[in-house]
C-alpha cells in the first residue's frame, strides 16, 4: 500500500478511536457541542468539496444543496427500506456491527447516486460560461428540490423520517478526512494542476492539450459525491429531512463558506466552515447577554442579514477571502509537494 | 366553442402573467446588455416595488379613495386610474433610485474585477434586501391595499377577465411602447445600445458610461417596480420573498428571448407566462414552478443564445 | 522531405465576411516558416484555424497526412501542434514551474485515480515529470525562477516561459503568434537565436506569425504573405523582399 494511503488509513483509525472511546461521553455530557461538532463536520465536507469546483476549477456552481438532497434522501430511503432486510436492523437499532455496516453502505449509496446526478448535470452544463453555469446549477438544484417535493415516496412536503441515527464522530470526521484527502491528493499532482489551468485561462489550457470540459466534469462529480455523503450524514443525524432544508439558501451558505475561506485553499475553506458553523450559535448566545441592547438582538439572530452584508463587504474589500489561495498556510506548513 | 373560450381564457391568463415576467425580464436583459452581468438582486426590486406601493398607498388613500369603489364606471375610471397610476409612478421612481444606489455602492467598484466577484455581491444584495425587509416589516404576508376595483370585465360573455388583468396587460403595453421610444429614439437610448455593443468605443466617443449604466439600472428597476405594483393589484398578498420565484422565472424569460435583447425579453416573458398557465390548465399544477427551470435547461443546452439573441465570440 | 502541415484551399467565412480565402500552405519537417501580412490580413485567423479554435468553412488542414478538421483545440495539441499567444496567456495563479508542469497533463499516463492511490507507478511518473520540467526550464535559463509566480516575471521572461510551456506538450509543430511584440531590439535578437535554437534542439517545425520584418527575414526559410485573407506571395526571404505585390501591400507600413 502506498505511503499516502497508509497515512489516510492511520488518520481514519484515529477518528475511529476517538469515536470508540469518547463518543458516548461527549454525546451525553456535551450534547450541545456534540451537535455543533457534527454540523461542523458536515459543513467542512460540503465546503471543501464545493471548493474543488468553485475554488480550484473556477466554475461557479450554485446547486450544491441539490446533490446534498439527493444523498440525504437516497440514504434515508435505503436505510428505511433495506436495513431491516439486509442488516436485520429494526427501527434503526441493532448491534454495532450491523448499524455501522448499514451506515457505510447507506453513505456509499448516497455518494454514488449524488455522483451520478453530478455527472448527468455536469456534462451538459459545464460547457457554459460563468453566469450561465451559475443559473443552470441553481436551476438543477431547484428542480431536484421540486421533484422531491412532488414525490410521495420521499415524503413530499411532509418530510421524511430516517430510521437510524447512525451518524457519529467517526463517520463524520472520517468522511471529513477522506474528503480532504481526495481533494488535496487530486489537486497536488500534475493532473491536479489541470484544474487550476481551467480556472486561470481555459483557452490557454485547451491549447496545452487539456480537455477543459473533462476536468470540470471530474471536479463536479467528485464534489457531488461528497455532497451526497454529507447529505447522508445529515439525514442520519437529524432523523428527519424536508426538501426545504436543501434549498437555494443552503447552497448559498456553502458558497459563502468557500468564498470566506478563499477559493484556492482547502484548509482555509475548512477553517471558514468551522467559523461559520459556530458563528450563528455564538451570535445567538451573544444576543442574550447584557452587552447587546434589546433592539439589536433580533438583528444578531438574523443570520442572513449578516451573511449578506458579509458577502458584499468581502467582495468589495477582500475578494480572496480570509485565506486567499492558501499561500499563508503553505508558508507555515512548508512547501507541500507531491512526495 | 367552449373549448375555444377555454383556450382563449387561459391565453389571457397567460398573457397577463407573462406581462409581469416580461417587465421584470427587461431589467435583467438591459443590465446584461450594458454590463454583461446578471443582476441577481433584480427580482427583489420587484418585491420592493410592491412594498413601496404598500407603504405609499395609505398616504394617498384618502385623496384617491382607495378601496372605496366597487366597480369601474365611466365617471370614476379616470380618477381611479390616476390614483393607481400615481402610486405606480412613485413606486417606480423610488425603486429606480434604489437600483441606481445599489449599482453605485455594490457593483461599480467591482467593474474591473472578475465577474464572479460581482455575481456573488449581487447574491449578497439580494439576500440583504429580502432579509432587511423581513426584519423591518415582518416575514408574514401583508395585504396590499386595493388601488383599483377588481371585478370581471363586463360585456365579454363567457370570458372571465378581471380588471386587474386588463390593467396589467394595458399598462405593460404602454410601458413597452415608452421603453421602445426611449431605447430607439433618445440619445441615452442610443448610448445604451452602443454601450452594449462596444463599451470602449463608447467612452472614446465621449459617452459617460457611468451615467448610461446608472440610467439602465434606473430603467430596469422602474419596470420591475411597475410589475410589483401591477401583480399586487391582481394578487394582493405580498411578502419579502415574493421576488425569488418570479425573479428567476423572469431571468429564464430573458435568456429564452436572448439575453441582452430587449424585444426578446418581452417575448420570453410572454412565452413563460403562457407555458406556466397551460401547464396548470392541463392538470399539472405541481409543476408550475418547475416548467420555467425545465425551459431554462433546454434552452441553455440547445440554444444558449435564445430565440432572438446574438452569438458572442471570444477573441483569441 | 516529409510534409508535416498542409493547408489545402482553406477558406473561413464569418457570416458575410470572408476572413481567409483559398489559402494553401505547406510546412515540412524541421522547417521554419513565416506568415506575414499587413494588419487585418487574416494571419491570426489562419493561426486559429490550424489550432482548432476556428473550423475552416472550406478546405482541409492536415498534419502528417491526418485530417484535423473538426477536432477540438486540445485534441489538435494532442496530435502535436502547440502554440503561444499574441497577448501572453500564462496560467496566472501558477508558478513558473507549475505552468510548465501543467502542460505535461497531455501525455499523462497516470490520471486522477492514481493521484488518489499514489502508488509506485504514479510517484515515478510525477518524479519524471518534475525532472523533465526542471530540464526544460534549465535550458531556457528559467530554472532559478521556478518558484516565482509567473505574473511577476519581466515581459521577455514571460514570453520565453510561454514557449517552454508549449514545448512541454512535445509538439511536432510550434506556432508562435507575434512573439517579438513589445520587445527591445536586443530582446528581439535573443528571440531570433532562441527560435532557431528551439527548432534545432527539439527537431520541430516552427510557424512564425510576426510583424517585425527583421525577425522574419532573419530566421525564416520560407515566408507566406497574406493580404485581405488572400495569399499574395510565397517564397524565400530574398524573393519576398523584392516582390512588388508585397511591397504594395505594405505601402504605408514599414518597408520589408
Amino acid at each position: 500500500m502506498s505511503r499516502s494511503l497508509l497515512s489516510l488509513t492511520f488518520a481514519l483509525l484515529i477518528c475511529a478511536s476517538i469515536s470508540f472511546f469518547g463518543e458516548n461521553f461527549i454525546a451525553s455530557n456535551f450534547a450541545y457541542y456534540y451537535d455543533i461538532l457534527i454540523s461542523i463536520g458536515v459543513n467542512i465536507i460540503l465546503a471543501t468539496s464545493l471548493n474543488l469546483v468553485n475554488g480550484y476549477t473556477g466554475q461557479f456552481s450554485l446547486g450544491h444543496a441539490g446533490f446534498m438532497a439527493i444523498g440525504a434522501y437516497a440514504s434515508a430511503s435505503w436505510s428505511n427500506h433495506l436495513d431491516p432486510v439486509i442488516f436485520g436492523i429494526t427501527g434503526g437499532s441493532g448491534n454495532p456491527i450491523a448499524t455501522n455496516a448499514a451506515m457505510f453502505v447507506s453513505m456509499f449509496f448516497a455518494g454514488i447516486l449524488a455522483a451520478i446526478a453530478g455527472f448527468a448535470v455536469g456534462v451538459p452544463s459545464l460547457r457554459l460560461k460563468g453566469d450561465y453555469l451559475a443559473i443552470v446549477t441553481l436551476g438543477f438544484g431547484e428542480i431536484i428540490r421540486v421533484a422531491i417535493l412532488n414525490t410521495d415516496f420521499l415524503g413530499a412536503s411532509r418530510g421524511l423520517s430516517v430510521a437510524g441515527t447512525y451518524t457519529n464522530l467517526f463517520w463524520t470526521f472520517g468522511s471529513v478526512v477522506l474528503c480532504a484527502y481526495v481533494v488535496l491528493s487530486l489537486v497536488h499532482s500534475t493532473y491536479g494542476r489541470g484544474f487550476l489551468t481551467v480556472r486561470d485561462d481555459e483557452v490557454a489550457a485547451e491549447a496545452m492539450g487539456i480537455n477543459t470540459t473533462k476536468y470540470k466534469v471530474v471536479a463536479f462529480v467528485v464534489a457531488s459525491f461528497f455532497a451526497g455523503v454529507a447529505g447522508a450524514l445529515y439525514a442520519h443525524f437529524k432523523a428527519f429531512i424536508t426538501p426545504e432544508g436543501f434549498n437555494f439558501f443552503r447552497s448559498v451558505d456553502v458558497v459563502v463558506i468557500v468564498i470566506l475561506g478563499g477559493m484556492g485553499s482547502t484548509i482555509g475553506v475548512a477553517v471558514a466552515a468551522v467559523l461559520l458553523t459556530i458563528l450563528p450559535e455564538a451570535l445567538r448566545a451573544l444576543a442574550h447577554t447584557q452587552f447587546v441592547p434589546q433592539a439589536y438582538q433580533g438583528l444578531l439572530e438574523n443570520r442572513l442579514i449578516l451573511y449578506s452584508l458579509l458577502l458584499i463587504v468581502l467582495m468589495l474589500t477582500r475578494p480572496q477571502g480570509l485565506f486567499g489561495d492558501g499561500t499563508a498556510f503553505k508558508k507555515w506548513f512548508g512547501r507541500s509537494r507531491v512526495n | 366553442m367552449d373549448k375555444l373560450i377555454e383556450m382563449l381564457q387561459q391565453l389571457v391568463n397567460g398573457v397577463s402573467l407573462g406581462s409581469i415576467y416580461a417587465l421584470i425580464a427587461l431589467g435583467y436583459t438591459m443590465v446584461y446588455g450594458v454590463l454583461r452581468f446578471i443582476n441577481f438582486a433584480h427580482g427583489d426590486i420587484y418585491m420592493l416595488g410592491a412594498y413601496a406601493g404598500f407603504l405609499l398607498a395609505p398616504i394617498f388613500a384618502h385623496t384617491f379613495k382607495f378601496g372605496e369603489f366597487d366597480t369601474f364606471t365611466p365617471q370614476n375610471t379616470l380618477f381611479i386610474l390616476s390614483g393607481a397610476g400615481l402610486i405606480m409612478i412613485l413606486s417606480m421612481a423610488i425603486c429606480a433610485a434604489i437600483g441606481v444606489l445599489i449599482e453605485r455602492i455594490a457593483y461599480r467598484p467591482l467593474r474591473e474585477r472578475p465577474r464572479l466577484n460581482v455575481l456573488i455581491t449581487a447574491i449578497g444584495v439580494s439576500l440583504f434586501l429580502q432579509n432587511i425587509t423581513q426584519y423591518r416589516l415582518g416575514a408574514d404576508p401583508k395585504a396590499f391595499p386595493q388601488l383599483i376595483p377588481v371585478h370581471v370585465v363586463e360585456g365579454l360573455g363567457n370570458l372571465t377577465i378581471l380588471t386587474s388583468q386588463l390593467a396589467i396587460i394595458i399598462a405593460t403595453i404602454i410601458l413597452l411602447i415608452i421603453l421602445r421610444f426611449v431605447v430607439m429614439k433618445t440619445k441615452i437610448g442610443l448610448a445604451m445600445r452602443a454601450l452594449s455593443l462596444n463599451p470602449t468605443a463608447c467612452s472614446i466617443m465621449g459617452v459617460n458610461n457611468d451615467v448610461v449604466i446608472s440610467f439602465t439600472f434606473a430603467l430596469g428597476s422602474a419596470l420591475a417596480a411597475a410589475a410589483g405594483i401591477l401583480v399586487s393589484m391582481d394578487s394582493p398578498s405580498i411578502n419579502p420573498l415574493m421576488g425569488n420565484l418570479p425573479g428567476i422565472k423572469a431571468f429564464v424569460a430573458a435568456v429564452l428571448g436572448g439575453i441582452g435583447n430587449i424585444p426578446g425579453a418581452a417575448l420570453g416573458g410572454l412565452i413563460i407566462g403562457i407555458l406556466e398557465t397551460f401547464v396548470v390548465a392541463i392538470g399539472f399544477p405541481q409543476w408550475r414552478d418547475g416548467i420555467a427551470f425545465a425551459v431554462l435547461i433546454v434552452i441553455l443546452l440547445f440554444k444558449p443564445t435564445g430565440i432572438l439573441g446574438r452569438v458572442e465570440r471570444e477573441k483569441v | 522531405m516529409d510534409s508535416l502541415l498542409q493547408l489545402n484551399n482553406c477558406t473561413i467565412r464569418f457570416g458575410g465576411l470572408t476572413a481567409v480565402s483559398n489559402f494553401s500552405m505547406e510546412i515540412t519537417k524541421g522547417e521554419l516558416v513565416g506568415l506575414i501580412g499587413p494588419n487585418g490580413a487574416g494571419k491570426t485567423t489562419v493561426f486559429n484555424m490550424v489550432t482548432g479554435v476556428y473550423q475552416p468553412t472550406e478546405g482541409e488542414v492536415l498534419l502528417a497526412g491526418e485530417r484535423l478538421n473538426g477536432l477540438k483545440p486540445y485534441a489538435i495539441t494532442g496530435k502535436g501542434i502547440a502554440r503561444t499567444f499574441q497577448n501572453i496567456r500564462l496560467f496566472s495563479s501558477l508558478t513558473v514551474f507549475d505552468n510548465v508542469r501543467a502542460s505535461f497533463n497531455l501525455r499523462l499516463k497516470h490520471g486522477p485515480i492514481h493521484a488518489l492511490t499514489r502508488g509506485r507507478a504514479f510517484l515515478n511518473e510525477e518524479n519524471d515529470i518534475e525532472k523533465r520540467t526542471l530540464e526544460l526550464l534549465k535550458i531556457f535559463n528559467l530554472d532559478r525562477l521556478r518558484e516565482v509566480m509567473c505574473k511577476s516575471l519581466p515581459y521577455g521572461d514571460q514570453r520565453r516561459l510561454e514557449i517552454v510551456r508549449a514545448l512541454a506538450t512535445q509538439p511536432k509543430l510550434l506556432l508562435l503568434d507575434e512573439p517579438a511584440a513589445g520587445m527591445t531590439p536586443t530582446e528581439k535578437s535573443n528571440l531570433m537565436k532562441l527560435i532557431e535554437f528551439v527548432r534545432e534542439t527539439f527537431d520541430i517545425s516552427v510557424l512564425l506569425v510576426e510583424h517585425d520584418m527583421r525577425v522574419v527575414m532573419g530566421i525564416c526559410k520560407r515566408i507566406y504573405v497574406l493580404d485581405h485573407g488572400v495569399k499574395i506571395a510565397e517564397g524565400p526571404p530574398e524573393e519576398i523582399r523584392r516582390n512588388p505585390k508585397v511591397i504594395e501591400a505594405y505601402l504605408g507600413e514599414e518597408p520589408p
Side-chain angles (χ1 to χ4, degrees), chain B residues 211-252:
Chain B
V211 167
V212 178
I213 290 173
S214 290
F215 181 76
T216 309
F217 269 86
L219 208 53
S221 302
L223 291 172
I229 299 285
L230 289 168
V231 83
S232 303
M233 291 202 283
D234 189 44
S235 159
S237 170
I238 66 173
N239 70 81
L241 300 181
M242 68 187 272
N244 278 344
L245 267 181
I248 225 202
K249 288 179 191 172
F251 172 73
V252 175

Side-chain angles (χ1 to χ4, degrees), chain B residues 150-315:
Chain B
V150 177
H151 58 86
V152 178
V153 175
E154 320 237 316
L156 294 175
N158 283 331
L159 214 52
T160 323
I161 303 180
L162 297 174
T163 49
S164 48
Q165 289 179 309
L166 199 62
I168 292 176
I169 296 176
I170 294 179
T172 304
I173 293 176
I174 295 176
L175 286 169
L176 286 179
I177 293 175
I178 296 178
L179 181 70
R180 181 126 185 111
F181 176 77
V182 169
V183 168
M184 290 308 221
K185 300 266 194 248
T186 63
K187 251 170 71 174
I188 194 141
L190 180 64
M192 270 173 66
R193 282 182 286 141
L195 198 57
S196 76
L197 289 172
N198 193 332
T200 328
C202 270
S203 56
I204 292 176
M205 298 301 278
V207 173
N208 186 336
N209 287 10
D210 285 345
V211 167
V212 178
I213 290 173
S214 290
F215 181 76
T216 309
F217 269 86
L219 208 53
S221 302
L223 291 172
I229 299 285
L230 289 168
V231 83
S232 303
M233 291 202 283
D234 189 44
S235 159
S237 170
I238 66 173
N239 70 81
L241 300 181
M242 68 187 272
N244 278 344
L245 267 181
I248 225 202
K249 288 179 191 172
F251 172 73
V252 175
V255 173
L256 175 63
I259 190 121
N261 186 307
I262 292 178
L267 179 66
L270 282 176
I271 295 178
I272 295 282
I274 293 173
L275 264 177
E276 192 177 312
T277 311
F278 272 97
V279 157
V280 176
I282 59 179
F284 294 106
Q286 66 270 39
W287 287 104
R288 79 172 295 179
D289 294 337
I291 190 75
F293 294 118
V295 168
L296 174 72
I297 289 164
V298 165
I299 276 286
L300 285 183
L301 295 185
F302 295 106
K303 197 171 195 314
T305 48
I307 298 176
L308 300 177
R310 276 172 288 143
V311 193
E312 307 231 333
R313 212 179 289 272
E314 178 177 4
K315 211 164 185 277

Side-chain angles (χ1 to χ4, degrees), chain A residues 60 62 124-125 127-132 134-136 138-140 142-143 146-147 150 203 248-249 252 259 263 295-296 298-299 302 304-305 308-309 311-312 315-316 319, chain B residues 32 36-38 40 105-106 109-110 113 115-117 119-121 123-125 127-128 130-132 135 244 248 251 255 259 286-287 293-294 296-297 300-301 304 314 316:
Chain A
F60 194 14
L62 273 182
S125 316
R127 299 176 294 156
L128 303 168
K129 291 287 154 72
D131 319 8
Y132 287 127
I135 296 294
V136 165
L138 194 163
F140 271 116
E142 285 298 287
I143 284 187
V146 168
N150 287 314
V203 171
F248 173 59
F249 293 135
V252 171
I259 294 173
M263 295 204 288
Y296 290 102
L299 199 57
N302 199 324
L304 281 172
I305 293 188
S308 49
L309 283 175
L311 265 186
I312 298 173
M315 280 298 108
L316 287 174
Chain B
Y32 188 85
R36 297 290 182 274
F37 154 61
I38 299 175
F40 263 103
I105 299 178
L110 296 176
R113 301 265 194 88
R115 284 232 307 290
L116 199 67
N117 292 15
L119 270 176
I120 292 165
T121 308
I123 295 180
V125 171
L127 286 176
F128 179 73
Q130 288 173 11
N131 286 286
I132 203 80
Y135 176 65
N244 278 344
I248 225 202
F251 172 73
V255 173
I259 190 121
Q286 66 270 39
W287 287 104
F293 294 118
L296 174 72
I297 289 164
L300 285 183
L301 295 185
E314 178 177 4
V316 175

Side-chain angles (χ1 to χ4, degrees), chain A residues 245-318:
Chain A
F246 305 103
N247 61 13
F248 173 59
F249 293 135
R250 191 75 181 93
S251 290
V252 171
D253 264 357
V254 184
V255 168
V256 173
I257 296 177
V258 169
I259 294 173
L260 184 68
M263 295 204 288
S265 162
T266 300
I267 301 181
V269 164
V271 170
V274 174
L275 288 176
L276 284 177
T277 312
I278 296 178
L279 190 68
E281 304 300 316
L283 286 176
R284 201 172 296 155
L286 187 66
H288 291 296
T289 64
Q290 65 267 47
F291 294 119
V292 180
Q294 188 75 18
Y296 290 102
Q297 280 187 6
L299 199 57
L300 275 184
E301 294 198 11
N302 199 324
R303 199 179 82 234
L304 281 172
I305 293 188
L306 288 170
Y307 256 42
S308 49
L309 283 175
L310 182 69
L311 265 186
I312 298 173
V313 168
L314 209 59
M315 280 298 108
L316 287 174
T317 58
R318 204 182 153 81

Side-chain angles (χ1 to χ4, degrees), chain C residues 222-237:
Chain C
R222 272 188 314 123
I223 301 175
Y224 287 84
V225 187
L226 265 182
D227 187 24
H228 289 94
V230 174
K231 175 164 67 175
I232 60 172
E234 168 190 348

Side-chain angles (χ1 to χ4, degrees), chain C residues 228-246:
Chain C
H228 289 94
V230 174
K231 175 164 67 175
I232 60 172
E234 168 190 348
E238 316 82 58
E239 274 180 39
I240 298 296
R241 199 176 278 129
R242 283 182 256 119
N243 188 312
K245 275 198 258 171
V246 175

Side-chain angles (χ1 to χ4, degrees), chain A residues 54-140:
Chain A
N54 285 19
Y56 289 116
T57 317
Q59 305 305 296
F60 194 14
S61 169
L62 273 182
H64 217 47
F67 300 110
M68 186 185 177
I70 290 181
Y73 276 89
S75 74
S77 306
W78 180 279
S79 298
N80 287 346
H81 295 102
L82 292 175
D83 278 353
V85 175
I86 302 181
F87 298 104
I89 299 170
T90 42
S93 46
N95 69 68
I97 300 184
T99 52
N100 278 313
M103 183 56 176
F104 176 73
V105 171
S106 189
M107 275 171 53
F108 188 69
F109 179 63
I112 293 290
L113 221 61
I116 293 176
F119 185 77
V121 169
V123 166
S125 316
L126 288 165
R127 299 176 294 156
L128 303 168
K129 291 287 154 72
D131 319 8
Y132 287 127
L133 179 65
I135 296 294
V136 165
T137 49
L138 194 163
F140 271 116

